[in-house]
Amino acid sequence: MTAQTLLRRATGLSVSKSVAERAVGQRMEQTGFADSEAYLQALTPAEMTQLIELVVVPESWLFRDPQAFYATVELVQERWARGRATRILSIPCAGGEEPYSMAMALRDGGVPKQAFSIDAYDLSPGCIERAQAGIYGRNAFRAQDVAFRERYFTHVADDSYRIIDSLREQVTFRQGNLLQFDTATYSRHYDVIFCRNLLIYFDKPTTRAAIQNLSALLADDGMLLAGYAEVPSFCQNGFTTLQFRQAFALKKETAAPASPVQMAPLPALRTLRTLRSVPPAPRRTTVAPPSPAVPRTRPVSVPPPAQTAQADLLAEARLLADRGQLREAGEKCHAHLAKVPEAAEAYFMLGIINELAGKMDLADDYWRRCIYLQPDHYEALCHLSLLAERNGNHTAAATLKARAARIYERRQASN
């Protein structure tokens, strides 16, 4: 079994062949193995955890996308006024930046500590350890207004600050995997769930499984906060948007509990975080139901053979990319562009393929070509915004994010 397959089975996330092999090489050096097959055959749950640490990207900062926290404060205040405490889940929680931001926002909102509880889970034991320590450097304080640092942190060394104990005690951190979560015990347990910027790294079956588990964990009248690039996936799988501007908040469409889906884990491995690779974004499909007043069969429009052949090239490219055959997938996209030079979707796919290969500059260039040809390409705008965030260009990220949000809002209004 390859390292790619083992990592996917353990985490539910996709990882490129090059990233998996690089991680295996680093662990082989540290453990003294000379042969990769021997290393993989001897892999224990503890060693798998160390391997996962090399491919996860725990990228976050305090008060990232703050509107989500303000929307939650409003909900908690309203429920506490009716005598009801709120249970909050952050999954994945990275180094604790998100749940601590939530605790600070609630404190600023005058919410008493008995009015809420916060659980936080992450795949990475290293992330959990950092979260429990509560010590953050300069990169964690990227918000425009960092006055909260004076209120809730103490300076410990150089550019490092430690969150005050009374807030650290408000959050319970545990290692865990959303796809292996005990949904039976925690059925409809949480009133608010933060699950942001995780699903974009899943393929479609894993996305559906993750959303079903989140639905099972969320109370029927609860609120879920997603990453802006993930809202369409939730809306395709039983959720609908809430009217909190720029919070990307959702609720269940119905009160019917979702059936949790368990992915096959490695034996004895209970471990969730984002990887470096990003699979193709989900595509929306709208099917018009036949009118009951028209009994006869309606004619079906069939595209010309050449058009069908070109569409097949992109479909093949997606399939090859999902299999990790990136070079072959790129060749299919370029073959499509040779016939249809203005095909925005082919440029979007090339961006995905190059991100999977770790070629971020090329990915950025292809996505920009995509939005030049199709300015309202929602998925390309989302990926460009995420890439700008990773590169520290927060002004560009905010601009791209706002464009994507406007496009999504227009789509929702027209449906």
Side-chain angles (χ1 to χ4, degrees):
M1 189 177 294
T2 67
Q4 275 181 293
T5 303
L6 288 169
L7 284 165
R8 180 182 179 83
R9 181 178 294 182
T11 65
L13 295 129
S14 300
V15 58
S16 69
K17 181 179 179 181
S18 60
V19 169
E21 290 179 347
R22 189 181 310 122
V24 167
Q26 291 180 41
R27 288 305 300 167
M28 286 172 59
E29 288 181 9
Q30 295 171 12
T31 56
F33 279 89
D35 180 73
S36 60
E37 289 188 10
Y39 168 79
L40 293 175
Q41 288 176 358
L43 202 62
T44 64
E47 178 58 26
M48 173 59 84
T49 298
Q50 295 299 318
L51 187 62
I52 291 169
E53 286 284 289
L54 295 177
V55 295
V56 298
V57 184
E59 175 69 11
S60 190
W61 57 90
L62 295 157
F63 283 101
R64 181 182 187 181
D65 296 328
Q67 293 85 353
F69 303 110
Y70 304 149
T72 304
V73 169
E74 183 177 323
L75 180 145
V76 175
Q77 288 173 331
E78 185 273 330
R79 295 193 179 198
W80 185 243
R82 295 189 281 113
R84 177 177 169 184
T86 301
R87 295 164 298 195
I88 301 170
L89 172 66
S90 172
I91 185 168
C93 67
E97 295 88 346
E98 181 174 85
Y100 283 142
S101 297
M102 190 67 259
M104 286 186 280
L106 289 165
R107 178 76 64 89
D108 284 343
V111 179
K113 63 180 182 181
Q114 64 267 29
F116 67 95
S117 62
I118 303 175
D119 292 339
Y121 288 80
D122 200 278
L123 171 69
S124 165
C127 283
I128 295 300
E129 184 177 345
R130 289 193 296 274
Q132 290 172 331
I135 298 174
Y136 299 97
R138 179 184 302 172
N139 285 339
F141 298 95
R142 304 185 204 174
Q144 291 182 344
D145 181 4
V146 294
F148 64 88
R149 187 170 63 190
E150 299 301 318
R151 297 193 298 274
Y152 300 120
F153 288 82
T154 56
H155 184 247
V156 290
D158 297 329
D159 292 327
S160 297
Y161 298 82
R162 186 175 188 267
I163 197 163
I164 60 176
D165 288 342
S166 61
L167 283 179
R168 289 200 312 125
E169 293 166 359
Q170 286 288 113
V171 185
T172 301
F173 290 100
R174 298 186 183 93
Q175 185 184 7
N177 187 331
L178 172 60
L179 298 171
Q180 300 167 23
F181 211 92
D182 184 0
T183 51
T185 300
Y186 290 91
S187 176
R188 288 178 265 184
H189 180 77
Y190 292 102
D191 304 289
V192 177
I193 296 178
F194 283 80
C195 186
R196 305 193 294 174
N197 303 315
L198 171 67
L199 303 188
I200 54 172
Y201 301 98
F202 285 150
D203 60 19
K204 288 184 179 180
T206 311
T207 293
R208 287 193 296 269
I211 292 175
Q212 286 181 13
N213 278 6
L214 288 166
S215 182
L217 295 169
L218 184 66
D220 290 338
D221 61 348
M223 178 173 70
L224 185 142
L225 290 310
Y228 60 92
E230 301 162 326
V231 173
S233 294
F234 278 101
C235 290
Q236 292 165 5
N237 289 278
F239 282 79
T240 186
T241 54
L242 289 168
Q243 297 306 307
F244 288 104
R245 185 168 179 80
Q246 296 292 309
F248 307 104
L250 304 110
K251 65 176 181 177
K252 294 182 185 181
E253 281 186 340
T254 69
S259 299
V261 174
Q262 298 294 331
M263 302 295 287
L266 283 178
L269 182 65
R270 286 185 55 79
T271 57
L272 183 157
R273 191 54 234 154
T274 56
L275 304 182
R276 302 181 191 278
S277 57
V278 180
R283 298 178 60 86
R284 298 178 56 172
T285 304
T286 303
V287 181
S291 170
V294 184
R296 65 181 179 277
T297 303
R298 303 177 76 173
V300 178
S301 176
V302 179
Q307 183 178 339
T308 303
Q310 293 306 311
D312 287 346
L313 283 173
L314 288 186
E316 291 175 25
R318 286 184 179 277
L319 183 60
L320 289 165
D322 283 341
R323 292 174 176 170
Q325 297 173 257
L326 303 184
R327 181 179 60 81
E328 294 85 348
E331 289 173 354
K332 295 291 183 182
C333 289
H334 285 295
H336 181 87
L337 287 168
K339 301 289 182 64
V340 189
E342 71 284 1
E345 192 63 23
Y347 284 116
F348 174 70
M349 276 295 305
L350 284 168
I352 295 293
I353 290 164
N354 279 278
E355 181 159 5
L356 284 166
K359 300 175 181 178
M360 307 311 295
D361 289 343
L362 280 174
D364 180 85
D365 179 63
Y366 282 123
W367 286 327
R368 291 190 181 280
R369 294 190 198 186
C370 173
I371 62 172
Y372 174 80
L373 292 166
Q374 187 180 333
D376 66 344
H377 197 292
Y378 177 81
E379 291 85 358
L381 288 166
C382 289
H383 282 286
L384 280 170
S385 176
L386 289 169
L387 185 56
E389 278 189 351
R390 293 173 194 164
N391 293 335
N393 192 343
H394 306 304
T395 301
T399 300
L400 290 160
K401 186 185 300 184
R403 283 179 61 183
R406 288 194 296 270
I407 290 165
Y408 181 73
E409 288 167 3
R410 288 200 298 269
R411 286 183 180 179
Q412 290 295 99
S414 64
N415 287 344

